[in-house]
Amino acid sequence: MAKASIAKGMRDFTSFEVLRREYIISVIRNVFESFGYGPLETPSMENLETLTGKYGDEGDKLIFRVLKSGDFLKSVPENLERNASTWSSLISDKALRYDLTVPFARFLANNRNDIKLPFKRFQIQPVWRADRPQKGRFREFYQCDADVVGSNSLWQEVELMQMYARVFDALLLPVKIRISSRRILADMAEFCGVGDRFMAFCIILDKVDKVGVEEVVRQWVELGVPTEKAQQLIDIIALRGEPAVEALKALGATGNGLEEVSWVIEKFSKFNSDSVLEFDPSLARGLDYYTGCIFEVEALNSSFGSLGGGGRYADLTGIFGLKDVPGVGISFGLDRIFLALEEADLFPDSIQDAPDVLGVQLSEDSAETVFRVVSQLRENCVIAEFYPDAVKLKKQLDYAHQRGIRYVVIIGENELANNTLQLKDMKEGEQFEIDMEDFMENPINYLDLN
Amino acid sequence: MAKASIAKGMRDFTSFEVLRREYIISVIRNVFESFGYGPLETPSMENLETLTGKYGDEGDKLIFRVLKSGDFLKSVPENLERNASTWSSLISDKALRYDLTVPFARFLANNRNDIKLPFKRFQIQPVWRADRPQKGRFREFYQCDADVVGSNSLWQEVELMQMYARVFDALLLPVKIRISSRRILADMAEFCGVGDRFMAFCIILDKVDKVGVEEVVRQWVELGVPTEKAQQLIDIIALRGEPAVEALKALGATGNGLEEVSWVIEKFSKFNSDSVLEFDPSLARGLDYYTGCIFEVEALNSSFGSLGGGGRYADLTGIFGLKDVPGVGISFGLDRIFLALEEADLFPDSIQDAPDVLGVQLSEDSAETVFRVVSQLRENCVIAEFYPDAVKLKKQLDYAHQRGIRYVVIIGENELANNTLQLKDMKEGEQFEIDMEDFMENPINYLDLN
């Protein structure tokens, strides 16, 4: 007998969970579509060389590689030294999608002649990472991305921030959108005299929420930043909005990052007075392909961390030979949003995974009539289930109760003779005898549905 | 520069294709849900031992195995003989889902204490097979399954056949549902004196559409069937419906397969007079876990082969230690249905992957006003896109044309002064000046939307 356990870091989703996840996805998707973004789906597996080298050394280790089919060992020379990395590139030529961005870039490069720019696409698909599973971290999870490529216009940033606002409005989840720019971070690194170690400077700052300001200062100093400047900067990084802009200007920030961020905030605020978009100089974001504005969304009144993020990149497809395609994109974290909605009890009551009506069987004789009623209910948009076996009524009612089915249709000999049925309301504990034909034709006169 | 090619046997789906695939899925899903089936999602990866040994030797070879992370070679003893099969079980412990049935069985076994029987679930997810790619055969494709477990009632067969009928009615695709039973096939094998080689007998018959009747007879005889009996049976297999039932009875079929199939057809016909459900003794179906009724759907007036199939199984979860759970299920073949709808031009015109309106930019000055109009249109359920750059009007109109966007909103200096806008209908070639506020509040008075 085989062991029947789920693989490590993987999840089954029951109907309760699937319907709630789909609710979130449908809200996100409706916003994407209303802004003119179209769906794209790329395959789960890519050629290994499409993925490797795109996510840094740490990322490469987390890519799930798929073994070649057939006699994969014949690709390995006899007496080859045993080295996992050398071997894996010989015995594996495909890998599972690690994110949605690199496959999107590959798609763009493949279809460069058919695509009209600006090209707006969204993509909602699972990705896989061989991370050590822990609370809230899984080896398979969904990413929900929207990107537009082919335009340098900052209106795109405004539009994407508006999309964030619309989604979280629709979910009734109060959020704050934080914005900064890689150009501002470059100014900071320049000020500190470590402009040539820009990525290292950002990666240290990116961890400020986890490790605290003192540790950031310590690591910056280790990187070569004079202590005084590190201290000066870390004080500014605690500021938000206009004071942060002013402080950075006073420091001598010369790039146009501050201007760009201010412009986006100004335009956004004109159209979205209810939503918070705030300049946050502590925002760094780890992905190294961002070059312009960067964003992150977090729930107010909650400690779930980031619910999504994104940014602008000057060149995404250059690695695949398609030059000069700038873009900007946002991403939503489905699992975190799920937890935030669950905690705040914000899933709508209308999400239900139980049918409205159960037709039960009292005898083989009446079964056909009950089946007919149930079939007709479905034609009239009622979700109806037929209990397949003529077992004891109590067992069938227990099933309805456990499934959370509110109404039960019962047809016995009397009802069969009178052309009626008994409608039992499991919630109110009431039962009515009603005309069978009228019920089938006008079920909503009798049923209180969600 | 990395090679940017899609992996062999894999597909990208553009918005045109995604929306059409989703149309099919939504029709199938609505029917599943209206019958009280709930969604289940299982992970893409299962432990290797959950999958191996479930699909026969040929199936095992087609399972995509995932390489262990880290130093996978340390699981391999030094000087181990080079044998792909031995090695792969050491260096790989996970594999990609090969179908939806085995993971469903694993889920049932894992959750045996929480599940109320009868349990109805549907599952619409991709599966992966390391088949040699060829026309119409891919290495990643969707399966759409509905199964009910925990009841022996033939009403479930009636219900599932009704679900087939409802789906293809809704898709406007005329189909024939073929039904038979493994018990009838067992009778045939018995009649031929090869009852102990039942599966081999079925597998030969299953290929009749591909290889023809003469080859089936030849292979049966090779299996040990007397030539005369093989000939007698192959003549019956050409019959359909009642004549086939009568002929098999005359042959001395003793099991209750014929009775069961006739009962299902009789009940089904009472509720679905427009649909064709026909006994077809040539139906065999390759999967070896079926034990009762088996079904297959094919398009009338078309040569796409099977659009779906299914059957009853006495024991699906026994392999995972959960005994006595009978079930019955159906499956839809998304790719074949797609091709059939495409050939018959049956995708609804309402499926559109272009926005309704494009707001263009004549100058930086008017951009903000156009952006406001476009934002307001979305609030009123119009899919609207904002062209991000103030490039030449012709370029923006070309973009609208190529994207298939019907309406363009243009605001110049005059319109800005008059608080109006120009609405250009790209389809009719007309252009109107209209009041800006009225247009934003009541766009459907001006737009002819799908």
Side-chain angles (χ1 to χ4, degrees), chain A residues 1-7 10-15 18-19 22 29 33-36 38-47 49-50 54 64-67 69-73 76-79 82-84 87-88 91-92 94 96 106-107 109-110 116-118 120 128 130 139-140 151-153 155-156 158-159 162 166 267 270-271 318-321 355 361 367-368 371-372 375 378-379 382-389 399 402-403, chain B residues 1-7 10-15 18-19 22 29 33-36 38-47 49-50 54 64-67 69-73 76-79 82-84 87-88 91-92 94 96 106-107 109-111 116-118 120 128 130 139-140 151-153 155-156 158-159 162 166 267 270-271 318-321 355 361 367-368 371-372 375 378-379 382-389 399 402-403:
Chain A
M1 189 199 314
K3 248 169 49 186
S5 60
I6 191 165
M10 298 285 152
R11 293 173 286 177
D12 290 319
F13 296 108
T14 62
S15 62
V18 170
L19 295 172
E22 288 178 341
R29 198 185 153 135
E33 291 188 326
S34 74
F35 279 72
L40 173 72
E41 288 181 11
T42 63
S44 302
M45 270 185 257
E46 294 280 350
N47 286 325
E49 70 259 27
T50 300
K54 311 302 185 298
F64 277 114
R65 285 146 208 255
V66 177
L67 205 53
S69 312
D71 184 11
F72 56 88
L73 286 171
V76 183
E78 291 287 344
N79 304 319
R82 284 198 169 204
N83 172 295
W87 277 65
S88 79
I91 63 177
S92 157
K94 290 172 293 294
L96 292 178
R106 194 267 307 145
F107 171 84
N110 284 173
K116 303 294 161 233
L117 300 181
K120 296 178 177 185
W128 296 270
R139 291 182 150 191
E140 174 176 46
S151 169
N152 285 308
S153 167
W155 280 111
Q156 295 297 359
V158 180
E159 184 172 283
Q162 206 172 18
R166 290 283 170 287
K267 295 296 180 196
K270 285 193 180 171
F271 303 105
I319 41 169
F320 296 121
Q361 283 194 49
E368 195 175 303
F371 193 88
R372 185 163 70 92
S375 296
R378 291 183 197 124
E379 298 291 305
V382 175
I383 299 182
E385 193 173 316
F386 176 72
Y387 196 91
D389 300 286
Y399 173 81
Q402 286 163 340
R403 277 273 268 145
Chain B
M1 188 200 313
K3 247 171 48 187
S5 60
I6 192 165
M10 298 285 152
R11 292 173 286 177
D12 291 319
F13 295 108
T14 63
S15 62
V18 171
L19 294 172
E22 287 178 342
R29 198 185 152 132
E33 290 188 325
S34 74
F35 279 72
L40 174 72
E41 289 181 12
T42 63
S44 302
M45 269 185 258
E46 295 280 351
N47 286 324
E49 70 259 31
T50 300
K54 310 303 186 299
F64 277 114
R65 286 146 208 254
V66 177
L67 206 53
S69 313
D71 185 9
F72 57 87
L73 286 171
V76 183
E78 293 283 348
N79 305 318
R82 285 199 169 204
N83 172 295
W87 276 66
S88 78
I91 62 178
S92 156
K94 290 172 294 294
L96 292 178
R106 195 267 307 145
F107 171 84
N110 285 173
N111 297 278
K116 303 295 161 233
L117 300 180
K120 297 177 176 185
W128 296 270
R139 291 181 152 191
E140 174 177 45
S151 169
N152 286 307
S153 167
W155 279 111
Q156 296 296 0
V158 180
E159 184 172 282
Q162 205 172 18
R166 289 284 169 285
K267 296 296 181 196
K270 285 193 179 170
F271 303 104
I319 41 169
F320 297 122
Q361 283 194 49
E368 194 174 304
F371 193 87
R372 186 163 69 91
S375 297
R378 291 183 196 124
E379 297 291 304
V382 175
I383 299 182
E385 193 173 316
F386 176 73
Y387 196 91
D389 299 287
Y399 173 80
Q402 285 163 339
R403 276 273 269 145

Side-chain angles (χ1 to χ4, degrees), chain A residues 130-311:
Chain A
D131 254 321
R132 187 175 296 275
Q134 57 187 57
K135 193 170 155 31
R137 189 195 286 166
F138 306 98
R139 291 182 150 191
E140 174 176 46
F141 57 96
Y142 267 69
Q143 290 192 333
C144 313
D145 285 15
D147 286 82
V148 50
V149 294
S151 169
N152 285 308
S153 167
L154 285 175
W155 280 111
Q156 295 297 359
E157 272 82 344
V158 180
E159 184 172 283
L160 290 164
M161 295 306 96
Q162 206 172 18
M163 287 161 71
Y164 265 144
R166 290 283 170 287
V167 166
F168 290 105
D169 273 2
L171 293 172
L172 306 177
L173 194 66
V175 297
K176 180 168 72 176
I177 314 172
R178 304 155 64 201
I179 184 169
S180 185
S181 169
R182 274 291 163 93
R183 298 178 185 206
I184 296 172
L185 292 164
D187 282 344
M188 293 181 192
E190 204 58 49
F191 166 77
C192 292
V194 292
D196 55 337
R197 278 151 287 167
F198 173 60
M199 273 312 298
F201 174 85
C202 289
I203 288 167
I204 293 170
L205 177 57
D206 193 29
K207 286 183 264 179
V208 68
D209 288 342
K210 282 184 194 149
V211 303
V213 293
E214 281 173 31
E215 177 62 16
V216 169
V217 169
R218 198 193 63 76
Q219 291 189 22
W220 273 348
V221 170
E222 207 175 271
L223 191 73
V225 178
T227 309
E228 194 191 343
K229 293 203 163 186
Q231 198 54 59
Q232 207 176 341
L233 203 55
I234 207 78
D235 289 343
I236 292 177
I237 272 160
L239 302 174
R240 297 288 178 272
E242 203 50 40
V245 173
E246 294 307 322
L248 283 166
K249 276 189 188 157
L251 222 60
T254 53
N256 54 2
L258 284 171
E259 264 174 57
E260 289 186 355
V261 166
S262 298
W263 191 90
V264 170
I265 293 174
E266 183 219 323
K267 295 296 180 196
F268 174 85
S269 305
K270 285 193 180 171
F271 303 105
N272 305 275
S273 55
D274 296 341
S275 304
V276 183
L277 176 67
E278 191 177 65
F279 171 49
D280 182 344
S282 74
L283 188 62
R285 292 193 66 74
L287 289 173
D288 61 0
Y289 50 74
Y290 291 132
T291 54
C293 288
I294 50 178
F295 340 103
E296 206 159 282
V297 184
E298 62 187 36
L300 294 177
N301 332 316
S302 164
S303 55
F304 285 109
S306 166
L307 302 180

Side-chain angles (χ1 to χ4, degrees), chain A residues 34, chain B residues 349-352 354-358 376-385 404-409 423-425 427-428 439-450:
Chain A
S34 74
Chain B
D349 292 338
S350 59
I351 303 176
Q352 60 158 16
D356 305 309
V357 172
L358 179 72
Q376 191 58 45
L377 287 177
R378 291 183 196 124
E379 297 291 304
N380 290 317
C381 299
V382 175
I383 299 182
E385 193 173 316
I405 302 174
R406 176 151 177 196
Y407 297 100
V408 175
V409 164
L423 182 67
K424 188 175 175 71
D425 183 337
K427 185 177 162 196
E428 303 295 336
F439 179 67
M440 285 194 285
E441 289 312 310
N442 308 294
I444 54 165
N445 292 352
Y446 300 96
L447 305 173
D448 177 22
L449 305 177
N450 273 324

